[in-house]
Amino acid sequence: MARTKKRGPQLDRIVLDNLLDNDGALVGRGDDREAERFSRVDFSGRDLTSTSFTECELHAVDFNTTVLRGTSWSECVATELHAAVFSAPRSSWRDVRIEHSRLGSVEMYDANLRSVQIDGSKLDFVNLRNATLTDVLISNCIIDELDISSTVVQRLELRDCRIGTLDVAGARLTDVDLRSTEFSAIHSLEGLKGATIDDAQLSMLAPLLAAHLGILVE
């Protein structure tokens, strides 16, 4: 039987030119920021609801407990972000790259991610419930818990990551590549339909699959 070829994430190149430095002091709720550079800005505790960032660069920005509900991010590059609580539910992300960041609780339920890469970062709990993910690459990351339950996912790759718990309850997966990533536990195995795993991962899942199917192994 011929194997169906899996398609990987399609990521667009992000080019940022002629950026203006912004110290963040006057950035507020509902603003439209375009072609700006934010370096070592402290947005912690601020209300940036529905603010949009387009063609922006962010370096060492603190977003701890910042209200980012409904924010829009397009053609942005972010490095060394910090937040114990990163709260961005119902936000929109298109052509965004996040690198070398440290985030604790990441609340991005009902979000929309398209052409997004997260690389070399440490994340504690990532809540992407009911989100839509298209062309997303997560690479070289450590994630304690990744919750994509009830999420619609098309072309997602988890590459060389270490993930504690993956929750896929009710997820709808298409072209999802989990190979090369280590998991300690996976919840709701039926949600893995549409994912590709490797032999080692299958061995790890064997006891869970047996229990799920009511198979007694002696």
Side-chain angles (χ1 to χ4, degrees):
M1 182 180 297
R3 293 187 178 184
T4 302
K5 185 176 181 180
K6 299 293 183 181
R7 298 178 58 196
Q10 309 298 305
L11 301 174
D12 295 327
R13 184 166 174 259
I14 303 172
V15 178
L16 301 177
D17 293 317
N18 302 317
L19 302 181
L20 297 177
D21 290 327
N22 188 322
D23 64 6
L26 300 180
V27 177
R29 179 184 178 118
D31 281 356
D32 294 318
R33 315 310 308 183
E34 183 172 354
E36 294 179 334
R37 177 185 293 107
F38 299 88
S39 181
R40 303 190 183 281
V41 173
D42 186 358
F43 283 128
S44 58
R46 302 261 292 273
D47 184 358
L48 300 183
T49 300
S50 299
T51 298
S52 68
F53 296 87
T54 304
E55 297 181 8
C56 289
E57 177 183 285
L58 302 95
H59 173 69
V61 173
D62 192 335
F63 280 114
N64 188 40
T65 67
T66 307
V67 181
L68 298 169
R69 176 182 294 269
T71 50
S72 177
W73 308 77
S74 178
E75 298 180 74
C76 292
V77 176
T79 58
E80 299 182 23
L81 301 183
H82 302 281
V85 177
F86 186 84
S87 180
R90 300 185 175 89
S91 52
S92 176
W93 306 72
R94 181 178 63 83
D95 296 329
V96 175
R97 186 170 71 249
I98 299 173
E99 300 176 335
H100 310 302
S101 295
R102 179 65 176 92
L103 304 176
S105 175
V106 179
E107 296 292 339
M108 290 179 59
Y109 56 85
D110 295 325
N112 190 309
L113 284 69
R114 178 179 292 272
S115 188
V116 172
Q117 179 177 1
I118 303 173
D119 181 69
S121 298
K122 173 69 169 70
L123 314 171
D124 291 344
F125 170 68
V126 181
N127 178 3
L128 285 166
R129 298 170 193 160
N130 297 299
T132 300
L133 278 61
T134 307
D135 295 316
V136 175
L137 172 62
I138 302 177
S139 55
N140 306 301
C141 289
I142 299 174
I143 303 175
D144 291 343
E145 184 174 352
L146 176 58
D147 187 350
I148 57 171
S149 55
S150 301
T151 296
V152 178
V153 183
Q154 186 171 8
R155 295 185 300 278
L156 164 68
E157 181 180 355
L158 301 181
R159 181 189 299 168
D160 298 324
C161 295
R162 283 190 293 143
I163 295 178
T165 300
L166 174 65
D167 193 337
V168 289
R172 287 178 283 172
L173 310 182
T174 304
D175 293 330
V176 171
D177 191 345
L178 305 180
R179 295 171 295 179
S180 80
T181 283
E182 299 177 10
F183 300 94
S184 297
I186 296 179
H187 292 170
S188 302
L189 295 178
E190 64 276 4
L192 285 177
K193 181 180 180 181
T196 299
I197 62 175
D198 59 27
D199 291 341
Q201 291 167 328
L202 180 58
S203 297
M204 184 272 288
L205 289 174
L208 297 176
L209 288 168
H212 180 69
L213 295 173
I215 299 173
L216 180 63
V217 179
E218 296 183 340

